[in-house]
Amino acid sequence: LKLGSNQHSMCASVAGLQLPSAVPSLTDGSALDELFVWTCSEGEEAAVEPSIAAQAPQVSCNDADAHLQLSAAATALAVEPWAAQDARQFVGACSSAVHFGFYGCCVVRDVMSPAQCDALADYVDVRLAEACSFVEESGLDEATYVGDVFGKLRCRQRRWDIKLPMEGLVLEAMQSLGFSLGQLLSAAVGLDALLTELSCIVSDPGAPQQPLHSDSRSHDPGMLSALVALQEVTRAMGPTVLCPQTHCLAGSELLRSVRPHTDETAARVLGYQDRAIEEMSGTHVACQRGSAVVYDSRLIHCGGANLSSAEGGARRRMFVATFAMPGKVPR
C-alpha cells in the first residue's frame, strides 16, 4: 500500500492514498515497508527514521530488580489519547515514538472514520456468524478450535478472534491504519517488520476477564499490536487493560509475584484480578470509536470482562494488526 497526502488520490474511499498494481499477500508475511510507503505534503518533514525508537528512555529489560516507578499519574499519562494528525506529523511521530518506548503503549484517536468503523463492524458480525456456523457444521469444538477462521485466544467464553482477509473493507482499514500510524510503526519496529496477525477480537456480554499476560516470549523489543475500536468502548464492555512500563523483565517478575497461577481459572477467582491490576498500576482503556490502542507485545495486559447487557455490556469489536521484526513470533 502506498500512502501519501495527495487530496486528489484515485482511491476515493481513503483520502490521500494510492494503490500499486499488486497488493502484498498476508500469507507471505508482508513487510512493513511493502505495506506502507509514506509521502509528505508541502510543509511537512520527511518520514521519521526507524532509529528514533532507540532514543526512547526505556526501562531496563534485563534487570529484574529495576524500579518500574508505577503510579496512577504515570498510567493516566501513558494512555492519554493522541490525535491521529499529531501522530502523522514528524514532530508528533518522534514524540509518540519516545512515549511508546518509555510506556510501552499509547492511544491514538481517529485512526479510522466513524463510517469506516460502522461498515467494518457490520462486516465482522457477518464473518463471525459464518465462522461459528462453519465450526458447528464441521463438528468442531468452538471453545478449542484454532484454524482457518479462528485464532488462538485466552478465555474464549463469549470471546472470539476472527481471522480477516486482506481485501475490501479490511484492506481499506489497513490503509487508514498505515496513514495514521505509519510513522510510529516504522519508528517502533522498523521497516523490515512483518504483518503477522490480521483479525478482529470480539467479545459479547458475559465474556470473562482474561488473566494478565504478555504476547511475547522474549524480553527484547520488536513486536507490537494495534487494536482499533470499531465502536465506542465503555468500562462496562470490558476494554483492554494495559499496565504501562511493564514491557521489561522487571514487569514480568512483578506479574509473577502477584499472580499465583498462570492458567485461566485464576482470572475467575473473586478479587484476584482486581488486586493484580492494582499492583501493576493497570488501567481499563475505554476509548472512542476509531481509536487505536497500541502496545508493545511484551507489555502486561488483558481483555476486560464484558458485563451483562443489563449492566451496560455490549458487543465489543477490536480490529487487530500485529507487526513483528523478522524472527519474532507471537505466542
Side-chain angles (χ1 to χ4, degrees), residues 50-63 66-69 97-105 187-189 219-223 245-249 296 298-299 325:
S51 59
I52 288 294
Q55 302 174 19
Q58 297 209 28
V59 177
S60 170
C61 290
N62 300 313
D63 183 3
H67 182 49
L68 296 181
Q69 299 180 343
V98 173
H99 176 106
F100 184 83
F102 184 70
Y103 292 109
C105 59
V189 294
H219 293 296
D220 297 323
M223 186 164 70
Q245 292 184 271
T246 58
H247 56 309
C248 58
L249 180 57
D296 187 306
R298 299 170 295 168
L299 193 80
M325 291 179 179

Side-chain angles (χ1 to χ4, degrees), residues 166-187:
M166 181 78 91
E167 61 186 29
L169 293 170
V170 177
L171 178 58
E172 291 183 8
M174 287 299 293
Q175 293 167 354
S176 294
L177 186 73
F179 184 67
S180 296
L181 301 180
Q183 303 279 24
L184 172 59
L185 292 174
S186 63

Side-chain angles (χ1 to χ4, degrees), residues 49-106:
E49 294 293 331
S51 59
I52 288 294
Q55 302 174 19
Q58 297 209 28
V59 177
S60 170
C61 290
N62 300 313
D63 183 3
D65 297 322
H67 182 49
L68 296 181
Q69 299 180 343
L70 304 179
S71 69
T75 294
L77 181 60
V79 298
E80 180 68 25
W82 288 68
Q85 181 178 358
D86 292 337
R88 284 196 297 268
Q89 302 294 329
F90 178 75
V91 174
C94 289
S95 300
S96 58
V98 173
H99 176 106
F100 184 83
F102 184 70
Y103 292 109
C105 59
C106 65

Side-chain angles (χ1 to χ4, degrees), residues 175-252:
Q175 293 167 354
S176 294
L177 186 73
F179 184 67
S180 296
L181 301 180
Q183 303 279 24
L184 172 59
L185 292 174
S186 63
V189 294
L191 292 176
D192 292 332
L194 304 176
L195 177 62
T196 61
E197 179 183 18
L198 185 59
S199 66
C200 188
I201 294 177
V202 179
S203 72
D204 276 348
Q209 183 162 284
Q210 295 175 315
L212 289 167
H213 63 278
S214 72
D215 294 336
S216 176
R217 297 184 179 92
S218 172
H219 293 296
D220 297 323
M223 186 164 70
L224 64 78
S225 292
L227 280 61
V228 182
L230 301 185
Q231 68 294 297
E232 180 185 6
V233 178
T234 67
R235 178 66 176 81
M237 294 167 64
T240 304
V241 178
L242 299 179
C243 301
Q245 292 184 271
T246 58
H247 56 309
C248 58
L249 180 57
S252 298

Side-chain angles (χ1 to χ4, degrees), residues 117-197:
C117 289
D118 291 346
L120 191 54
D122 290 341
Y123 171 76
V124 165
D125 287 348
V126 172
R127 292 278 300 187
L128 175 57
E130 292 175 344
C132 290
S133 295
F134 166 78
V135 170
E136 182 179 3
E137 292 170 2
S138 301
L140 301 170
D141 183 358
E142 187 179 307
T144 58
Y145 165 77
V146 175
D148 292 337
V149 295
F150 288 138
K152 187 178 179 181
L153 190 67
R154 292 173 173 86
C155 294
R156 293 177 62 166
Q157 179 186 350
R158 310 293 296 167
R159 181 182 278 113
W160 303 268
D161 181 23
I162 311 163
K163 295 182 178 180
L164 299 176
M166 181 78 91
E167 61 186 29
L169 293 170
V170 177
L171 178 58
E172 291 183 8
M174 287 299 293
Q175 293 167 354
S176 294
L177 186 73
F179 184 67
S180 296
L181 301 180
Q183 303 279 24
L184 172 59
L185 292 174
S186 63
V189 294
L191 292 176
D192 292 332
L194 304 176
L195 177 62
T196 61
E197 179 183 18

